[in-house]
Every structure is written in C-alpha cells, then in structure tokens.
Amino acid sequence: MNTVASSPSWHARAAALEPETRAFIGGRYVDALDGQRFDDLNPATGRLLARVAAGDAPDIDAAVASARAAFQSGRWSGMPPANRKRVLQRFAELLLAHREELALLETLDMGKPITDSLKVDVPSAARCIQWYAESIDKLYDEIAPTGPQALAMVVREPVGVVGAIVPWNFPLIMAAWKIGPVLAAGNSLVLKPSEKSPLTAIRIAALAVEAGVPEGVFNVVPGYGHTAGKALASSMDVDCIAFTGSTATGKLVMQYAAQSNLKRVGLECGGKSPNIVLADCPDLERAATAAAFAIFFNQGEMCSAGSRLLVDERIRDELLERIAVVARDLVPGDPLDPATRLGAIVDATQMQRVLDYIRSGREEGASLRLGGRRVREESGGYYVEPTVFDAVTPGMQIAREEIFGPVLATLSFRGIDEAVAIANDVIYGLAAAVWTRDLTVAHRTARQLRAGMVYVNCYDADDITVPFGGFKQSGIGRDKSLHALDKYTELKTIWIDLN
Ligand code: NAD
C-alpha cells in the first residue's frame, strides 16, 4: 500500500492533532516545575502549533536524578543484553507502527515535506534503534595478552547518565543516533530536543516505556538551549554529554563540561562541505543531480550539505546548467502536500539568516545564477527558493560560513591541487566529495581531504553501519556504527593475579 497516496488529507489530520507538549521524567509526562511554556510555531504557516513545557535547571535536575536512580537500580544497566535487545526492537517496531503520526508531527514542527518525513525520517530513526538493538548481544570484551602470570580483562561498562542535546533539522534521526547506542549500551538518558522542533522526541518517550524501557531510563526535557541545554551540559551528575548542533554551541557545551564535572563530550557540529567535480567526471548528469540534492534536500538544512561546489572551469557551465534543471523542479511548497519536495525553513530567524547570506553573496560580487528570493510569503510561512551562486571566491562569506539553507556556492579551480587546497581551507571538516574517472586521483584526493566522510562519484551515501562525524571544528567523536558505542561506554581493566 502506498501510504502517501492513500492519505487523503494531512491537513485534516493536522487539524485534529493534539500533540503531547510536556516533559517526560521518570516514566510520566509532567509540566515544567515553574509552569512555564514556550511557543512552538509551524514554519509552513508561521502560526502557533503548540505551547510546550519550558524545562529549566530544576527540571533538568529532576530528570537527571530520575536517570541516575534508574541507572543505579540496574533494571536496565544490569539487564542481560539479549533482553535489552528485545525491548529496543519493540521500541523500533512501535516507531514504525506510529509512522504516520510521527511523520505528521515532524513535518508540522520543522517544515520538511511529509513524504520525506514518512519515507526517510521515521524509518531511518527506527532502523537506527533496531540496528543497535541487534548489535548489543553480539559484542565481546577482551583479554589482554599479558602472559600466564595474570588475567587482564578489558571490559566495557555503560558510562552512566548521558545527556543528549540535539538540533532541529532532523529531529527524530538526530535523537535516534543518540538513543540507539546510549540505551543499547545500558545507560540512562536525558534528551533535550531543540526548542524549534521538540514534539517527536516528547512523543517517542512514551513509546519507549510502552516497549519496556524501565521508567527513568529515558527522559525528555524540552526547553531553550541557554536554560535547559546549559543546565544539562553543566550538571554535576551527568557522565557524558552528546551534542549535535552548531560549532559555536558545541564550544559552549565543552566549556560547561570543563567547568562542571569534566564529563566526557561528544560533538557533532557544523560543516561547509566541498563537492569537487573534475573535468573527467564519469557522469555529469548524475553529478548534477547529486550536487543539487546535496544542497537542496531538507531545504539545505543539513550538516553534511555539499554547500561548496568546486568545479573545473572547463565543465562549469554545463554542470551549472544541469543543476539548474534539477533545481527548477524543486519548487518550495506546502510541506503537507505529498507532492512537495522542498518545504519551509524552520523559522523566521533561520530564513532571515539565509536571506542575509544571499545578500552578502551579491554584495561581495558573486553572480546569482538561480533563485535567491523568499517565496510563498502569503502563506505566513518561511520559504526560500533553491539558490545557486557562481563566481564565488574562497574569501567570500558564502564560501566560508555555514548557511544552513538552500544556497549553493560555486567556485572554480585549475587542477586538483588547487581544488584540495580550497576544499581544506575552512574551519570545518565534515564531508567532502570528488568526481573523477581516475582511480589514482580518487584515492589520493580522498586521503588529502580533511573530512570525516569522503564520497567518490556520489554524495551523501548513507548507512547506519558507517561512522558519521567530522574533522576539525566539525566535531569530536562519531555517531552511527559500532564506533558510536565508544562514546557511551567506559573501558575497565580488571587484573587477576594468577601467581
Ligand atoms: P544550535 O547549536 O543552535 O542548537 C543545537 C541544540 O543546542 C539545540 O537543542 C539548542 O537548544 C541547544 N543549545 C543552544 N544553546 C545552548 C547552550 N548555550 N547550551 C546548551 N545547549 C544549547 O544548532 P541548530 O541551529 O539547532 O542546528 C543546526 C546546526 O547543527 C548546524 O550547525 C548543523 O551543521 C549542526 N548539525 C550537525 C550534525 C552532525 O552530525 N555533525 C547534524 C545535524 C546538525
């Protein structure tokens, strides 16, 4: 059954929706202790969607205390891995069973197309939880090769209470990248979703308990970054803070960790990723489609967006023309319309930021090839056209700073050495791509690019089995794959004297 086609009116469902808006602490929904709430707006219309509990330091303290008590009780941390696996598998199944409800919440909250929420966000979040569930009863500890006089065991233990702070661009997926490995490893969790898109995180907390996650193990506290987020990163009783968001906030989170209890810090931060297309690109049509989706998917609100197109001068015009053909089909539209492929920008502030960068590109002398305007203003929502700049030079603001919107900066180069030098000359190092037929150039370039993920003749290849994260100021540590478990486990060595 095609769910998208068979859903007659997402608008009718949206009108009937009464989202849960309270924090989830100790296995139940509660208001903020001081009763405060904040407005959560629908970016497609600019209208009020929900008034959400505004958690602050006392609410974080209560959630952390609940997480600590659950951890100490051993009900989850001491559960045999095979049992934890079954609970998390049920949790993943419940996410899929509530696919339409969760997709609707996600789309209303952050403006992405309903078709993407249904086909990408919810299944991908469920797959992540399911994959970590599957992994956890297949991991062995180690015995060190010390010799026969001793037995030195190297065992992994859950780190304890993990605080997770996540952004608004993929609310469910970013939360799942934390929830999966954190819970699979036996930790307790306090999750602070973005104040711009808190509704799916709040909803799935109850599904976790329904699946059998013991009360107190998974808590959600919505609230602002400078209040709830800061309190979580500064807590003296949180053992690890797992952050995804901007580099500027990541630096603050590190400071809070240092100033409090030296909790360990994992950071997934921003990017300004180069997509290098050489003159011997094997398939210009594919490269153009990939380049367009690398910057326009999710309204360009992607950490790994291919926001800098580095193209050999000889093929620049042809490539840009092909990108324009793809981009012209991506007309911003109502996110609740199943045919829409580009939705609304998350809020007025973010839209203004994107428009300011477009102005800056023009003022600095880049040439606007496509788009550049706010559209659908009559809807009250925040929509920006797919935008392509050409003749961008490496010193321009639009070539250096993360825009986090549908704006592509095209730079040209002569020769691969110059391309690599330009590619590496930013503070970020999240993703990068190179398109070439030449295997030697592909290998060499992949090694020379200072980025956590390098794509050859593709962009944004993705699988839960593969680590995700960045070099330089794009972050510390990795999400996804078994490597993510490193963040959420302590290594302990146990020596047994055999003399
Ligand atoms: P942001 O840094 O503004 O906010 C992220 C989270 O941090 C939110 O929950 C926010 O409430 C919280 N926060 C804000 N100030 C805080 C403070 N002082 N203390 C503690 N928490 C605070 O980022 P955003 O605008 O929500 O998200 C966009 C950014 O996220 C982009 O830079 C993007 O590249 C990055 N991102 C990175 C990845 C990755 O995996 N590397 C994935 C998605 C998004």
Side-chain angles (χ1 to χ4, degrees), residues 146-387:
T146 53
Q149 312 307 327
L151 179 65
M153 297 187 291
V154 184
V155 298
R156 278 186 185 274
E157 294 184 359
V159 72
V161 174
V162 178
I165 301 176
V166 293
W168 47 262
N169 62 332
F170 291 95
L172 257 183
I173 295 177
M174 293 302 106
W177 287 6
K178 311 295 186 207
I179 297 166
V182 166
L183 294 190
N187 299 285
S188 295
L189 176 64
V190 178
L191 171 66
K192 196 213 77 72
S194 169
E195 60 277 18
K196 299 183 185 187
S197 60
L199 297 180
T200 44
I202 293 174
R203 176 67 183 100
I204 65 171
L207 297 180
V209 168
E210 189 181 331
V213 175
E215 292 172 358
V217 168
F218 181 18
N219 307 275
V220 178
V221 181
Y224 290 112
H226 64 278
T227 54
K230 181 177 180 183
L232 188 56
S234 305
S235 168
M236 292 300 287
D237 205 23
V238 167
D239 300 293
C240 165
I241 192 87
F243 171 81
T244 303
S246 64
T247 294
T249 309
K251 290 181 182 181
L252 289 177
V253 164
M254 239 179 147
Q255 282 179 33
Y256 303 147
Q259 287 159 356
S260 53
N261 62 345
L262 210 63
K263 59 180 71 59
R264 64 164 71 176
V265 178
L267 301 177
E268 295 285 347
C269 299
K272 188 74 185 175
S273 299
N275 185 11
I276 303 173
V277 188
L278 299 179
D280 70 342
C281 168
D283 183 343
L284 221 48
E285 185 64 39
R286 265 195 70 203
T289 305
F293 280 92
I295 184 63
F296 301 134
F297 182 68
N298 212 46
Q299 301 73 242
E301 297 162 327
M302 280 188 300
C303 54
S304 57
S307 50
R308 287 185 295 153
L309 178 67
L310 272 57
V311 55
D312 188 298
E313 280 187 3
R314 287 167 287 175
I315 54 165
R316 189 188 62 192
D317 279 336
E318 188 182 350
L319 184 65
L320 285 181
E321 269 160 34
R322 288 176 191 251
I323 290 175
V325 170
V326 182
R328 281 196 195 97
D329 266 356
L330 300 174
V331 180
D334 174 5
L336 287 179
D337 179 345
T340 293
R341 295 164 79 196
L342 200 73
I345 302 288
V346 72
D347 66 4
T349 310
Q350 183 63 20
M351 179 186 66
Q352 195 51 52
R353 184 185 148 92
V354 173
L355 294 173
D356 287 347
Y357 273 113
I358 293 173
R359 201 191 56 229
S360 145
R362 285 177 143 149
E363 285 172 1
E364 287 197 284
S367 134
L368 185 66
R369 290 271 293 231
L370 192 77
R373 290 172 310 160
R374 177 181 185 186
V375 288
R376 293 176 59 82
E377 203 167 337
E378 70 292 347
S379 67
Y382 317 115
Y383 301 84
V384 177
E385 291 176 307
T387 298

Side-chain angles (χ1 to χ4, degrees), residues 406-423:
V407 182
L408 181 63
T410 309
L411 300 93
S412 357
F413 61 83
R414 288 178 201 175
I416 185 65
D417 291 343
E418 192 189 0
V420 170
I422 296 171

